[in-house]
Amino acid sequence: MLIRNLSKAALAIFAILLSGCEGGVLDPKGQIGIDEKHLIVVATLLMLIVVIPVIFMTLYFAWKYRDGRDQEIYAPKWAHSKNIEIVVWLVPIVIVIILGVITWGSTHDLDPYKPLEHEAKPITVEVVSLNWKWLFIYPELGIASVNELAFPANVPVNFKITSDTAMNSFFIPQLGSQIYSMAGMATQLHLIANEPGIFNGISANYSGAGFTGMKFKAIATATAEDFDAWVAKVKKQSRKLDSQSYKALAIESENNPVEYYGTVSKGMFNQIVMQYMHKDTGMDMSHHSGHSSPKNGETE
């Protein structure tokens, strides 16, 4: 009866743990995410070649020589065994070599900066992490949104990412790699959704009190027409993202709702990046972030 109850409890725990895979890196919806899941599975299985026998032998010997089993006398013979040495050293070395080869290839194939080869023309989205929200600028379309990202499925998306506050990490778990956003720097990331859907986006790097509300929805539309409809909806908004409205947007806020900007000043993303590099960018936004722009000849 005890064993039966323990088995039921173990199955329940196993089911709960597996339910956590839904919507995460083990439930990918994009090619990068699929490749990364394959890498995780292969690496895990290779390492289990060593881990499972070690766990089994540990439990077996603990049971075999447990207290009270007088008939099992532990009398080791301390002698050199060439066969054991070969197994102990050769198997891990082979696994490390295989993992090294796979990792070397995957590191280059899944480089976040490497553009995706695809027949569809990619779209560009400029991403800015703020306290505590995400700003998405579409430079080719002249629009912007807050805490909502949209793009067509089966179309590569080229992300240019920066921060106007502490370092964050831009991450859509079901689509693939994460990349850091840092003030005064622009990082890159290339992703694609293989199917339409709404995916959760987060910051994978703790950045303060409002961190838990720093989330967004990444909407992969089923067709290009659906994406055009989303763009038209945003363009209807009368709000414009310029230097003045950006100052208001950059003020700290928690659990910020979705916002749309129908027009965006040209070069907005570059001005946000360069505000920490030069004072003569024509855009004084240093008051809201706690950073101060370095004077000429100075470095941060």
Side-chain angles (χ1 to χ4, degrees):
M1 181 63 72
L2 177 61
I3 294 177
R4 183 180 302 174
N5 292 333
L6 288 175
S7 300
K8 291 180 178 178
L11 286 174
I13 294 173
F14 188 64
I16 292 173
L17 291 176
L18 285 180
S19 66
C21 298
E22 184 178 358
V25 294
L26 296 182
D27 183 24
K29 301 299 182 184
Q31 189 57 50
I32 298 298
I34 292 172
D35 293 343
E36 290 178 344
K37 177 186 176 182
H38 176 73
L39 178 62
I40 292 172
V41 171
V42 171
T44 302
L45 292 177
L46 284 172
M47 289 185 285
L48 286 178
I49 294 175
V50 172
V51 172
I52 289 179
V54 169
I55 293 176
F56 173 78
M57 287 189 291
T58 300
L59 296 175
Y60 174 73
F61 288 124
W63 172 82
K64 183 177 178 64
Y65 298 107
R66 67 187 183 278
D67 186 25
R69 294 201 70 187
D70 297 334
Q71 71 275 21
E72 297 289 353
I73 300 175
Y74 179 63
K77 297 178 181 179
W78 303 108
H80 178 76
S81 173
K82 186 177 295 183
N83 293 334
I84 291 178
E85 291 288 341
I86 291 175
V87 172
V88 168
W89 286 102
L90 184 61
V91 173
I93 288 175
V94 171
I95 292 175
V96 169
I97 292 174
I98 295 174
L99 282 174
V101 172
I102 294 174
T103 303
W104 173 269
S106 300
T107 300
H108 289 82
D109 293 340
L110 301 176
D111 181 0
Y113 279 55
K114 182 180 179 181
L116 301 178
E117 296 181 1
H118 199 278
E119 58 186 12
K121 182 183 177 182
I123 65 172
T124 299
V125 179
E126 297 168 337
V127 183
V128 183
S129 61
L130 302 164
N131 278 338
W132 286 274
K133 48 190 167 280
W134 292 95
L135 170 63
F136 303 105
I137 302 172
Y138 294 74
E140 298 158 344
L141 302 172
I143 60 173
S145 61
V146 176
N147 284 347
E148 185 174 286
L149 169 68
F151 49 85
N154 296 308
V155 173
V157 185
N158 301 338
F159 293 102
K160 295 172 63 178
I161 304 167
T162 190
S163 177
D164 194 8
T165 177
M167 184 171 71
N168 285 272
S169 181
F170 178 74
F171 190 25
I172 307 173
Q174 287 187 277
L175 298 189
S177 308
Q178 60 173 315
I179 197 78
Y180 286 110
S181 63
M182 293 170 280
M185 300 177 66
T187 52
Q188 300 178 36
L189 180 65
H190 298 85
L191 297 176
I192 186 172
N194 288 4
E195 58 184 82
I198 300 176
F199 312 115
N200 294 321
I202 60 173
S203 172
N205 191 77
Y206 179 74
S207 58
F211 166 76
T212 54
M214 193 173 177
K215 301 174 181 176
F216 64 91
K217 294 295 183 182
I219 304 171
T221 61
T223 63
E225 289 73 20
D226 292 338
F227 177 66
D228 292 340
W230 182 86
V231 172
K233 180 181 69 173
V234 177
K235 284 190 173 182
K236 287 182 180 178
Q237 306 300 315
S238 59
R239 303 174 68 182
K240 179 179 180 180
L241 184 64
D242 54 17
S243 300
Q244 294 303 316
S245 60
Y246 179 79
K247 289 178 182 178
L249 175 64
I251 295 174
E252 293 182 356
S253 63
E254 298 185 22
N255 300 307
N256 204 84
V258 174
E259 299 178 40
Y260 300 124
Y261 292 88
T263 55
V264 178
S265 294
K266 189 176 181 180
M268 194 73 197
F269 180 81
N270 288 336
Q271 292 181 46
I272 295 171
V273 175
M274 295 303 292
Q275 65 180 318
Y276 299 114
M277 305 300 289
H278 302 286
K279 291 189 67 178
D280 55 350
T281 58
M283 189 174 186
D284 180 13
M285 298 184 291
S286 59
H287 69 282
H288 59 258
S289 61
H291 294 261
S292 60
S293 301
K295 298 179 180 179
N296 292 336
E298 293 181 349
T299 57
E300 286 185 306

